[in-house]
Amino acid sequence: MQEVRIMSNITTQILTATIATPVYVDHYRDADRIATLCRTCSQYGRSWGCPPFEYDVLSRLQAYNQVLIVAMKVTPAMSGLTWKEVDTLLRPHRKAFDARLLVLEQQYGGLACHAGSCISCADGECARLCNKPCRHEQLMRPSLEAYGFDIEKTMSQIFNLPLQWPAHNQCPEYLVYVGALFHNAHDVEW
Ligand code: SF4
């Protein structure tokens, strides 16, 4: 399924794929290697949406038969934007994307994964820093990366859309947000 929206400052394209959870876990989850990468991130252990988790991630995922993976390709109209400019431009779209996943979770049951680290509180203000419970558990969901999935492999092999990386602090031609809904429903429509 593809859904394209052209706006004055960006174009978004939605791509979806449904895959059996055991297949996705076996072929696209590389928990030890991704955990090593996560440990080098400034968010590691500093957000309830990021590892390490206080529960067994695999058992949580195995409660669901299928996973709907949703990729949103975002192409800014202007080239050469800095990361800060891109973050400002894209944040509302990221929030809308995550919110849609929560709607699907409510509608079909299951477990949503958001498209990156938690952005529900201001930067650097996660309650985990003070060892307090998450302030917005109803909104917060970990990402596929946080659960050990290889997003680069997911994008190149399932969607045939390689990730692009920034160079010299500038946004590449496009970025991709990837989220998911693990579920037991017969069919889930984005
Ligand atoms: S909602 Fe706030 S407290 Fe909860 S994980 Fe996100 S940043 Fe942390």
Side-chain angles (χ1 to χ4, degrees), residues 23-34:
V23 174
Y24 192 47
V25 167
D26 285 353
H27 295 278
Y28 294 90
R29 188 164 185 261
D30 193 349
D32 289 343
R33 185 174 63 82
I34 302 292

Side-chain angles (χ1 to χ4, degrees), residues 47-49 118 120-121 126-127 134-136 140:
S47 163
W48 290 121
C118 183
S120 291
C121 299
C126 182
C134 175
R135 294 183 197 99
H136 306 290
M140 187 280 286

Side-chain angles (χ1 to χ4, degrees), residues 4-190:
V4 178
R5 290 183 65 208
I6 302 173
M7 290 154 272
S8 60
N9 51 5
I10 65 163
T11 296
T12 61
Q13 180 181 13
I14 295 285
L15 307 161
T16 62
T18 294
I19 184 167
T21 300
V23 174
Y24 192 47
V25 167
D26 285 353
H27 295 278
Y28 294 90
R29 188 164 185 261
D30 193 349
D32 289 343
R33 185 174 63 82
I34 302 292
T36 301
L37 295 174
C38 282
R39 282 188 206 98
T40 68
C41 174
S42 60
Q43 290 294 308
Y44 184 80
R46 297 170 62 84
S47 163
W48 290 121
C50 291
F53 297 106
E54 295 173 337
Y55 52 84
D56 181 43
V57 171
L58 189 55
S59 316
R60 188 169 278 207
L61 299 174
Q62 285 171 332
Y64 304 102
N65 300 329
Q66 299 199 84
V67 53
L68 170 74
I69 308 167
V70 187
M72 181 167 70
K73 179 185 177 191
V74 185
T75 309
M78 280 176 62
S79 60
L81 296 174
T82 64
W83 271 122
K84 191 166 170 42
E85 290 167 332
V86 166
D87 186 51
T88 304
L89 178 66
L90 299 189
R91 193 157 280 228
H93 299 281
R94 157 81 201 276
K95 285 191 166 178
F97 182 80
D98 287 349
R100 176 70 190 146
L101 285 162
L102 288 180
V103 168
L104 292 182
E105 187 189 82
Q106 283 222 323
Q107 194 174 343
Y108 294 98
L111 171 68
C113 286
H114 279 165
S117 54
C118 183
I119 53 173
S120 291
C121 299
D123 285 352
E125 293 192 7
C126 182
R128 191 172 189 173
L129 293 167
C130 325
N131 207 22
K132 297 240 169 84
C134 175
R135 294 183 197 99
H136 306 290
E137 281 188 346
Q138 75 284 7
L139 297 178
M140 187 280 286
R141 297 293 180 277
S143 66
L144 286 170
E145 296 101 316
Y147 277 170
F149 288 97
D150 184 333
I151 297 305
E152 196 160 20
K153 186 175 176 186
T154 297
M155 287 312 303
S156 61
Q157 295 193 3
I158 297 179
F159 293 100
N160 195 26
L161 179 69
L163 295 182
Q164 292 197 352
W165 302 105
H168 310 298
N169 193 35
Q170 293 200 330
C171 177
E173 179 197 344
Y174 63 82
L175 297 170
V176 185
Y177 289 127
V178 187
L181 180 73
F182 289 84
H183 65 88
N184 290 319
H186 177 63
D187 194 22
V188 175
E189 283 280 327
W190 174 257

